[in-house]
Amino acid sequence: MISSSSCSFLSNSAVAGSRSFCGGARKGHSSPFRVVCLAPSNDRNGSVVLDSPAKKEQIRNEPTSPPAEEETVSSGGPQDVYGEDKATEDQFVTPWNVSVASGYTLLRDPHFNKGLAFTEKERDAHYLRGLLPPTVIPQETQVKKMIQHVRQYQVPLQKYMAMMDLQERNERLFYKLLIEHVEELLPVVYTPTVGEACQKYGSIFMRPQGLYISLKEKGRILEVLRNWPEKNIQVIVVTDGERILGLGDLGCQGMGIPVGKLSLYTALGGVRPSACLPITIDVGTNNENLLNDELYIGLKQRRATGQEYAELMHEFMSAVKQNYGEKVLIQFEDFANHNAFDLLEKYRSTHLVFNDDIQGTASVVLAGLVAALKLVGGNLADHRFLFLGAGEAGTGIAELIALETSKQTNAPLDEVRKNIWLVDSKGLIVSSRKESLQHFKKPWAHDHEPVHRLVDAVNKIKPTVLIGTSGQGRTFTKEVIEAMASINEKPIILSLSNPTSQSECTAEEAYKWSQGRAIFASGSPFPPVEYEGKAFVPGQANNAYIFPGFGLGLIMSGTIRVHDDLLLAASEALAAQVSEENFEKGLIYPPFTNIRKISAHIAASVAAKAYELGLATRLPQPKDLVKFAESCMYTPAYRSYRQQE
Ligand SMILES: NC(=O)C1=CN([C@@H]2O[C@H](COP(=O)(O)OP(=O)(O)OC[C@H]3O[C@@H](n4cnc5c(N)ncnc54)[C@H](OP(=O)(O)O)[C@@H]3O)[C@@H](O)[C@H]2O)C=CC1
Ligand SMILES: CC(=O)C(=O)O
Ligand SMILES: [Mg+2]
């Protein structure tokens, strides 16, 4: 056996950042075991050497006779559109090599396994002969095979499990499949199916994903972070599981959300999978079913609150900064609103933090509204907004609309807020309720008599835009939609709550009850609807449009703090991606098919704004930020492995 550090290509820093699964292999298997190095390796100029696209094509066409390994060209860097994934690292070129075990262990390492795509030469070089059936198939064929495999399942959760299984076996194939079939597979790895997966998380997973930090680890969180095998982390998505989609407190089982969001960071935004870290903070759960379930995987105690909660979170935030530095992005996801706003407020000036439910959602909805104005006319200031739901998503969106309107009109924020109304579980938010309101609702308490029912609020406020962020399914009733349609020629109706079961109305209901006049989008996807012989394609208003590109923009520019203007920049970039063809179909969001291109534009716009505000630390500023963003993106094509001499 040769230890990983004996690889002559490995510099000290590369050793620190490399994955070595040698230890596991030693314990588990007695198969031949040696160190191999992956191309890329470094040429003398410090640039990364990769196989050329032409050579990759040759491999595809002639899988049984791979070209000589010496035929390599320089790649990576800004010219290499979607070519390599190194540019999101801290230095422009990071000299690294990775050591992996060969043989049986290599096949069981999801980061490096290629399955039947291992070439004849690789099979010889890496002790794989006999461990695989004799056929060699290219990655493209593997993708075709896998999509057929996923499609054979009728039950969404089975499709989800097939995808997770693939992710655990062959990471690059997982991402290639997801990228190439993004419209079809997004509802499988993300909402709505991820909601059901979280509900059943404890029983469907054989192998833990991500990092669990519970109250038991108090005082030792830095130690726990150091147990994670990757060192160069760029994005952490963290939840405490208290508000998972619209499904409530799922405790430790909320882990499905950070895992799913981070797979979108990679597939949609091109952030390297090894730079992504899903974390669940387990402070207990108030979900009685879970507390009484002997198979529940989390802490069986009621949720810690107050000082105990704050101390654990503070230790976590400090440990993250200590371990990964100032520039790691921490995305808060699906915290309950009584913690979410406070955490964002507390850490926004000391850490690079972003709350997806408050800020990402706001940015995506503002983009959809700006696009919708092209269909309905007028400026933001000409419209009146009514929300069902005044929590993270509702007040986050409301605040960004107000900010943008105020910038456009030079009117004070307090003045423009008066055009925006919110309804919570107790009715319309009005000034007579102000004393008892949570702090994030107070700015929305306008003078009005109390109104209890949504339909009455619609008839009294006469909104042009109705937005559902209540987490309560079927609350946009026939009466409500008909009222919107009687007030507006083209009512804008957004049912943002997830998963599908919690959507305020279905696409079919929105079109049917508005006689085909609604401009509709929903948080979870609905299939196209036919109404009176006309096809309607509903859009998906989901923060998945924003956070991957937004995060990439922060990372590639080395931005150290999130500023509201960055959210506006992301929003503007997304709205600009809606084409005439999309508008003709009534769409206010572009299709997800082009999401990597969209993400590159969002990233560029966010980075440009960060440079303008002096928040970006990566200097000099690249000239063409879109190209730079594209060059930073991870691509899941297999790499050629070569043996160490
Ligand atoms: N499409 C997307 O990208 C996103 C969608 N969402 C979805 O939005 C929903 C809400 O999330 P979030 O804002 O974080 O949750 P919060 O818990 O912060 O807010 C929920 C709000 O809905 C109100 N509410 C609950 N029941 C009713 C009811 N019957 N009538 C009127 N209002 C009601 C609550 O009222 P009260 O304050 O009185 O309790 C609260 O104001 C979830 O389903 C989530 O999945 C969230 C983020 C992004
Ligand atoms: C989409 C999302 O972030 C949510 O529903 O919570
Ligand atoms: Mg969320």
Side-chain angles (χ1 to χ4, degrees):
M1 279 181 218
I2 305 168
S3 80
S4 62
S5 57
S6 71
C7 174
S8 60
F9 292 139
L10 286 173
S11 67
N12 287 342
S13 61
V15 172
S18 73
R19 275 191 202 102
S20 174
F21 289 83
C22 303
R26 282 192 195 103
K27 280 180 215 141
H29 308 293
S30 58
S31 63
F33 183 80
R34 57 194 279 173
V35 171
V36 295
C37 288
L38 298 178
S41 66
N42 303 308
D43 66 14
R44 266 179 303 158
N45 301 322
S47 66
V48 169
V49 181
L50 269 179
D51 284 343
S52 68
K55 187 176 155 198
K56 281 179 193 153
E57 194 52 44
Q58 192 179 345
I59 293 172
R60 262 178 229 133
N61 297 335
E62 301 171 27
T64 50
S65 53
E69 281 171 0
E70 296 72 36
E71 295 165 23
T72 52
V73 294
S74 275
S75 188
Q79 276 73 44
D80 185 18
V81 174
Y82 301 146
E84 215 7 271
D85 53 358
K86 70 184 194 309
T88 52
E89 296 197 1
D90 228 6
Q91 293 92 37
F92 281 99
V93 174
T94 304
W96 60 271
N97 280 281
V98 181
S99 65
V100 291
S102 58
Y104 191 85
T105 314
L106 180 55
L107 292 181
R108 269 146 193 82
D109 182 341
H111 305 298
F112 303 116
N113 179 28
K114 304 185 196 179
L116 290 179
F118 278 112
T119 62
E120 297 287 354
K121 198 168 177 183
E122 284 171 333
R123 290 174 190 213
D124 280 333
H126 307 309
Y127 296 89
L128 296 169
R129 208 153 275 286
L131 299 180
L132 289 162
T135 192
V136 176
I137 61 169
Q139 199 182 13
E140 282 66 25
T141 311
Q142 289 181 305
V143 168
K144 277 190 204 154
K145 197 174 144 194
M146 268 316 296
I147 194 68
Q148 280 166 16
H149 173 72
V150 174
R151 282 177 187 156
Q152 79 182 338
Y153 294 110
Q154 299 304 313
V155 178
L157 192 61
Q158 286 177 330
K159 289 180 193 269
Y160 177 89
M161 288 169 70
M163 287 300 288
M164 291 303 110
D165 182 55
L166 178 61
Q167 192 175 21
E168 284 177 10
R169 271 189 295 115
N170 182 337
E171 188 177 80
R172 285 186 177 261
L173 185 56
F174 168 83
Y175 282 113
K176 193 163 171 62
L177 183 69
L178 184 52
I179 291 167
E180 291 184 9
H181 297 273
V182 65
E183 296 249 20
E184 179 175 351
L185 294 177
L186 208 54
V188 175
V189 299
Y190 190 52
T191 184
T193 313
V194 70
E196 189 184 354
C198 287
Q199 288 173 312
K200 300 174 181 164
Y201 205 78
S203 54
I204 62 176
F205 279 98
M206 298 299 143
R207 276 197 224 170
Q209 300 165 293
L211 207 53
Y212 293 86
I213 298 175
S214 79
L215 286 170
K216 283 202 256 180
E217 280 72 57
K218 191 162 190 289
R220 300 172 54 192
I221 296 182
L222 190 59
E223 204 183 303
V224 176
L225 290 179
R226 288 181 176 154
N227 286 343
W228 188 252
E230 304 293 345
K231 305 299 165 212
N232 191 3
I233 297 299
Q234 293 175 322
V235 188
I236 289 172
V237 176
V238 58
T239 188
D240 72 357
E242 193 169 5
R243 197 285 279 142
I244 294 298
L245 306 177
L247 301 171
D249 183 350
L250 297 184
C252 202
Q253 300 188 171
M255 181 59 104
I257 294 294
V259 167
K261 291 269 177 186
L262 283 166
S263 59
L264 303 196
Y265 258 107
T266 298
L268 279 48
V271 178
R272 290 174 296 121
S274 59
C276 297
L277 172 55
I279 298 186
T280 293
I281 306 278
D282 186 352
V283 294
T285 177
N286 295 339
N287 181 325
E288 293 298 334
N289 290 337
L290 295 180
L291 289 172
N292 294 324
D293 180 354
E294 64 168 346
L295 300 180
Y296 176 53
I297 58 172
L299 284 186
K300 285 201 180 186
Q301 63 173 72
R302 297 191 76 75
R303 279 188 178 272
T305 57
Q307 195 179 340
E308 194 181 8
Y309 180 88
E311 280 176 7
L312 191 77
M313 284 307 297
H314 194 67
E315 185 188 338
F316 167 70
M317 295 300 290
S318 308
V320 164
K321 199 161 159 180
Q322 190 176 339
N323 207 36
Y324 302 118
E326 183 94 0
K327 286 181 241 170
V328 64
L329 170 62
I330 304 170
Q331 174 164 319
F332 293 121
E333 192 69 53
D334 291 9
F335 283 74
N337 61 38
H338 53 89
N339 290 318
F341 288 98
D342 294 350
L343 287 170
L344 187 59
E345 194 49 41
K346 183 166 175 188
Y347 293 107
R348 68 188 309 168
S349 55
T350 54
H351 290 67
L352 182 65
V353 288
F354 167 69
N355 185 302
D356 190 33
D357 301 297
I358 302 171
Q359 299 173 296
T361 315
S363 186
V364 81
V365 172
L366 179 61
L369 293 172
V370 168
L373 295 183
K374 294 216 171 143
L375 295 170
V376 298
N379 295 315
L380 283 174
D382 303 321
H383 286 267
R384 206 166 316 108
F385 304 86
L386 179 65
F387 288 78
L388 184 72
E392 292 166 68
T395 61
I397 301 163
E399 196 58 44
L400 205 64
I401 295 174
L403 185 63
E404 177 61 16
T405 314
S406 164
K407 278 183 187 267
Q408 286 179 7
T409 58
N410 285 326
L413 260 182
D414 275 351
E415 204 48 45
V416 292
R417 283 194 184 116
K418 289 182 182 155
N419 250 352
I420 304 174
W421 296 82
L422 292 97
V423 172
D424 66 8
S425 65
K426 297 186 179 67
L428 191 65
I429 296 183
V430 290
S431 26
S432 56
R433 292 179 55 197
K434 200 159 184 171
E435 286 306 296
S436 61
L437 290 173
Q438 289 152 289
H439 64 88
F440 50 86
K441 293 179 183 171
K442 285 187 197 283
W444 310 102
H446 309 318
D447 290 339
H448 199 286
E449 60 185 353
V451 179
H452 297 291
R453 292 178 348 129
L454 177 63
V455 67
D456 297 332
V458 171
N459 284 322
K460 292 195 171 165
I461 305 294
K462 301 203 184 313
T464 54
V465 181
L466 178 64
I467 302 179
T469 51
S470 63
Q472 302 297 314
R474 306 300 175 267
T475 35
F476 290 174
T477 58
K478 188 164 184 276
E479 260 186 308
V480 168
I481 305 266
E482 283 177 350
M484 282 297 291
S486 71
I487 298 163
N488 302 286
E489 179 52 37
K490 287 184 179 169
I492 299 172
I493 297 172
L494 308 179
S495 298
L496 299 185
S497 293
N498 298 315
T500 316
S501 59
Q502 311 310 112
S503 185
E504 282 78 7
C505 68
T506 65
E508 190 178 358
E509 288 165 348
Y511 295 124
K512 201 169 69 184
W513 293 337
S514 66
Q515 295 110 34
R517 288 187 281 122
I519 292 165
F520 176 79
S522 53
S524 297
F526 282 104
V529 172
E530 201 182 302
Y531 174 73
E532 297 198 336
K534 198 174 160 204
F536 291 85
V537 188
Q540 190 176 350
N542 194 293
N543 48 32
Y545 272 110
I546 289 286
F547 70 77
F550 188 80
L552 179 65
L554 300 178
I555 293 168
M556 74 185 208
S557 57
T559 294
I560 49 164
R561 299 286 176 267
V562 170
H563 186 283
D564 285 345
D565 284 357
L566 305 187
L567 301 172
L568 294 178
S571 203
E572 199 182 316
L574 176 58
Q577 294 298 310
V578 190
S579 66
E580 282 308 318
E581 193 190 335
N582 302 148
F583 283 127
E584 276 161 27
K585 290 185 188 155
L587 283 171
I588 55 173
Y589 292 100
F592 269 109
T593 335
N594 298 329
I595 187 65
R596 280 168 82 95
K597 177 175 157 272
I598 295 165
S599 294
H601 281 269
I602 293 173
S605 182
V606 169
K609 185 54 79 177
Y611 280 108
E612 190 189 316
L613 296 176
L615 293 168
T617 60
R618 170 168 275 172
L619 296 170
Q621 174 178 346
K623 279 201 181 72
D624 185 334
L625 283 165
V626 175
K627 277 209 176 112
F628 184 64
E630 288 175 333
S631 75
C632 290
M633 285 179 159
Y634 162 88
T635 47
Y638 290 138
R639 290 166 167 199
S640 293
Y641 301 165
R642 73 176 163 220
Q643 192 182 341
Q644 190 206 349
E645 299 307 323

